[in-house]
Amino acid sequence: MNTPNFTAGKCSDCPIRHRAVCARCNADELVELDAIKYYRTYEAGQTVIWSGDKMGFVGSVVSGVATLTQTMEDGRTQMVGLLLPSDFVGRPGRDGAAYNVVATTDVVMCCFRKKPFEELMSKTPHIAHRLLEMTLDELDAAREWMLVLGRKTAREKIASLLSIIARRNTTPDNDSVSTVFDLPLTREAMADYLGLTLETVSRQVSALKRDGVIQLQGKRHVTVPDMTRLMEEAGDDTDGGFLI
Amino acid sequence: MNTPNFTAGKCSDCPIRHRAVCARCNADELVELDAIKYYRTYEAGQTVIWSGDKMGFVGSVVSGVATLTQTMEDGRTQMVGLLLPSDFVGRPGRDGAAYNVVATTDVVMCCFRKKPFEELMSKTPHIAHRLLEMTLDELDAAREWMLVLGRKTAREKIASLLSIIARRNTTPDNDSVSTVFDLPLTREAMADYLGLTLETVSRQVSALKRDGVIQLQGKRHVTVPDMTRLMEEAGDDTDGGFLI
DNA sequence: CGCTTCATTGACGACGTTCAAGACATGTGG
DNA sequence: CCACATGTCTTGAACGTCGTCAATGAAGCG
């Protein structure tokens, strides 16, 4: 139900039309993209791409959530990206995948065959410009996350993750102030995101609940009565100083 | 002496001509860039840009080393980027700086006035393409660093930092195998990079020295007798599996 | 019902931080 | 030349956060 059925294919009806890599394209360019695109679906838990494998395509997440992870030989793993609808997957100009991509919910991807996509990119500036913009945003997000990983306590890390998900994933709430959302991640995935163990994640989530910062219905459904409080717990500036 | 005197201004003689944001530009485009560029020098320790300030320019590091840092209200700081010669500073399309930029050695910057640079970017694809490529590389580096911050031990972190600096900063060594370089960072800066305290950095550097992984002449001059050993200590794949 | 997966909770210990003292190098002034 | 100050780094001891290991609970499914 939070995976809307979009596998039809008309770009004009596409839910991510205005935010994805194709956002700036005009009608003509969309026709060209249309010719090299196809949809693929992945079930929750399925691996989309293995690190090191040759990639035949790049693409956008249309619906669902996927994760980007790195793994060391001994099995320690770190998530390095959370892919939400409209996020771009793959790197033009590179053959091999640098990370594992795993679907954490059912996922629909809009894929472009890589070679034609690269040619299209060099012909039309709109795609390249949008991709640059998106990459710069991701770089900012990665750097924000470096602060979380390097300097925040376990409690602050959890609060940071919750407020990020809340910001990108809120379902407009009927009863006013409080923010409500579903966690798209298991405790283990949260741990991999935050550089913690799943036990520590569980403990800190419980602690935030005990202290009234969040409420839980089941294990995944979260209510935040006071976002400002949550952001204070995250150690962030509460007065969101935004850059344009 | 490791700050070569380049403040003259002919792009053709520029030491970073082939790697910076201008790398792909042809002669005509260089002329246009030339018209909006100017050089600035900063002394070691000097702040180049304050986070939040309005930025009138973007630019490239020509020589020297600078750092990109984020700071929390209570003073905890995390380095999120290490700017070496040819690296790009600033974000086209954004007015305010998101990070502090501090020169750790004497630095020469090649600056472009922001507005004209943005106009030039939208006219010529070469600059935008090169910037996209560089941004993707930086994103990869940031993600690599997330693994270091989230999952590596203090000892592995130090070894990781040393091997990165060794890779980008090696002075070709007369006597064969061993790798020699100068650390451009204080212990405190290393700590800020690695999400550690300076005491822990000091202890782990001493430990690596005691165990023969590195040798020190003074506090900054490092000799690595066996790079493979160092990379093992870093927890990295020793067989550098490279992506193209 | 048993089986699996995901999550919670407790006890204990290791790793890294904190606090504190001291080493070492460089520079300044008497 | 020595006394003194300053900045950078090293080292030690005590502490605390988070990881490890293990048992238990809760929910979904054949």
Side-chain angles (χ1 to χ4, degrees):
Chain A
M1 56 206 200
N2 63 12
T3 306
N5 270 11
F6 182 81
T7 49
K10 279 173 62 189
C11 288
S12 51
D13 299 342
C14 181
I16 59 168
R17 167 73 180 91
H18 52 304
R19 284 195 300 148
V21 72
C22 51
R24 301 278 180 76
C25 291
N26 57 35
D28 294 347
E29 291 161 347
L30 277 190
V31 171
E32 297 211 60
L33 272 178
D34 215 22
I36 60 170
K37 91 166 190 247
Y38 57 96
Y39 291 97
R40 281 207 58 176
T41 63
Y42 300 87
E43 288 174 19
Q46 208 179 343
T47 295
V48 178
I49 297 156
W50 291 98
S51 171
D53 278 8
K54 188 165 151 53
M55 288 193 61
F57 66 91
V58 297
S60 303
V61 176
V62 177
S63 68
V65 179
T67 65
L68 222 57
T69 58
Q70 285 201 74
T71 306
M72 295 171 66
E73 294 130 24
D74 61 9
R76 282 176 281 176
T77 84
Q78 173 67 49
M79 199 185 299
V80 295
L82 188 59
L83 299 170
L84 302 182
S86 83
D87 282 338
F88 188 78
V89 178
R91 172 165 174 168
R94 173 186 297 177
D95 275 343
Y99 313 101
N100 295 315
V101 179
V102 180
T104 63
T105 65
D106 290 351
V107 165
V108 177
M109 293 261 316
C110 172
C111 306
F112 307 105
R113 286 182 295 122
K114 193 150 102 33
K115 203 70 179 289
F117 183 84
E118 286 167 3
E119 281 158 17
L120 195 52
M121 242 185 73
S122 58
K123 272 196 310 185
T124 88
H126 289 155
I127 298 176
H129 264 135
R130 177 63 187 145
L131 187 56
L132 174 57
E133 199 171 47
M134 292 173 72
T135 306
L136 286 165
D137 284 342
E138 273 185 84
L139 184 57
D140 277 343
R143 285 172 168 166
E144 185 71 30
W145 213 253
M146 290 172 73
L147 177 66
V148 173
L149 289 171
R151 292 304 187 191
K152 292 194 179 179
T153 65
R155 184 182 175 100
E156 289 170 334
K157 285 180 176 182
I158 299 290
S160 298
L161 177 56
L162 292 177
S163 57
I164 285 198
I165 294 178
R167 248 179 287 166
R168 281 198 65 165
N169 222 359
T170 300
T171 62
D173 190 4
N174 7 348
D175 70 21
S176 71
V177 209
S178 59
T179 307
V180 178
F181 58 92
D182 279 311
L183 279 174
L185 302 175
T186 64
R187 298 289 186 266
E188 185 178 20
M190 292 173 67
D192 285 344
Y193 205 149
L194 298 168
L196 297 171
T197 60
L198 70 88
E199 293 94 330
T200 300
V201 170
S202 186
R203 274 186 255 272
Q204 296 298 337
V205 169
S206 298
L208 288 176
K209 177 182 168 188
R210 195 182 56 233
D211 298 346
V213 181
I214 59 173
Q215 291 152 17
L216 287 180
Q217 290 83 39
K219 294 162 191 316
R220 300 290 194 88
H221 194 74
V222 181
T223 304
V224 182
D226 179 0
M227 269 304 282
T228 309
R229 172 82 195 282
L230 181 61
M231 294 189 52
E232 280 169 14
E233 292 285 356
D236 289 343
D237 259 339
T238 134
D239 61 355
F242 264 77
L243 297 169
I244 308 172
Chain B
M1 48 201 191
N2 62 12
T3 306
N5 271 10
F6 181 81
T7 48
K10 279 173 62 189
C11 287
S12 50
D13 298 342
C14 181
I16 58 168
R17 167 76 180 88
H18 53 306
R19 286 196 297 148
V21 71
C22 52
R24 300 279 181 77
C25 291
N26 58 34
D28 293 348
E29 290 161 347
L30 278 189
V31 171
E32 296 210 59
L33 272 177
D34 214 24
I36 60 171
K37 88 166 194 247
Y38 56 97
Y39 292 97
R40 280 208 56 176
T41 64
Y42 300 88
E43 287 173 21
Q46 206 179 345
T47 294
V48 178
I49 298 156
W50 291 98
S51 173
D53 278 8
K54 188 164 152 51
M55 287 193 61
F57 66 91
V58 297
S60 303
V61 176
V62 177
S63 67
V65 178
T67 65
L68 222 56
T69 58
Q70 285 202 76
T71 305
M72 296 171 67
E73 294 130 28
D74 61 8
R76 283 177 279 178
T77 83
Q78 173 67 49
M79 199 184 300
V80 296
L82 189 60
L83 299 170
L84 303 183
S86 84
D87 282 337
F88 189 77
V89 178
R91 172 165 174 169
R94 174 187 288 170
D95 275 342
Y99 313 101
N100 295 317
V101 179
V102 180
T104 64
T105 65
D106 289 352
V107 165
V108 177
M109 293 261 316
C110 172
C111 307
F112 307 104
R113 287 182 294 121
K114 193 149 103 33
K115 204 70 179 290
F117 183 83
E118 285 166 4
E119 282 158 17
L120 195 51
M121 241 184 72
S122 57
K123 274 195 308 183
T124 88
H126 289 155
I127 296 176
H129 264 135
R130 176 63 186 146
L131 188 56
L132 173 57
E133 199 172 48
M134 292 173 72
T135 306
L136 286 165
D137 283 342
E138 272 183 86
L139 184 57
D140 277 343
R143 286 172 167 166
E144 185 72 31
W145 211 255
M146 289 172 74
L147 176 66
V148 173
L149 288 172
R151 291 305 187 191
K152 292 195 178 180
T153 64
R155 185 183 175 99
E156 289 170 334
K157 285 180 176 183
I158 299 290
S160 298
L161 177 56
L162 292 177
S163 57
I164 285 198
I165 295 178
R167 249 179 287 166
R168 281 198 65 167
N169 222 359
T170 300
T171 60
D173 191 4
N174 9 347
D175 69 24
S176 71
V177 209
S178 59
T179 308
V180 179
F181 58 91
D182 279 311
L183 279 175
L185 303 175
T186 65
R187 296 289 185 266
E188 185 178 19
M190 293 173 67
D192 285 343
Y193 205 147
L194 297 167
L196 298 170
T197 59
L198 68 88
E199 292 95 329
T200 299
V201 171
S202 184
R203 275 186 254 273
Q204 297 298 338
V205 169
S206 297
L208 288 175
K209 176 182 168 189
R210 195 181 54 233
D211 298 345
V213 181
I214 59 172
Q215 290 151 18
L216 287 179
Q217 290 84 39
K219 292 161 193 319
R220 300 291 194 87
H221 193 74
V222 180
T223 303
V224 182
D226 179 0
M227 268 305 280
T228 309
R229 172 82 194 283
L230 181 62
M231 295 190 51
E232 281 168 13
E233 292 285 356
D236 290 342
D237 259 339
T238 132
D239 62 355
F242 263 77
L243 299 169
I244 309 172

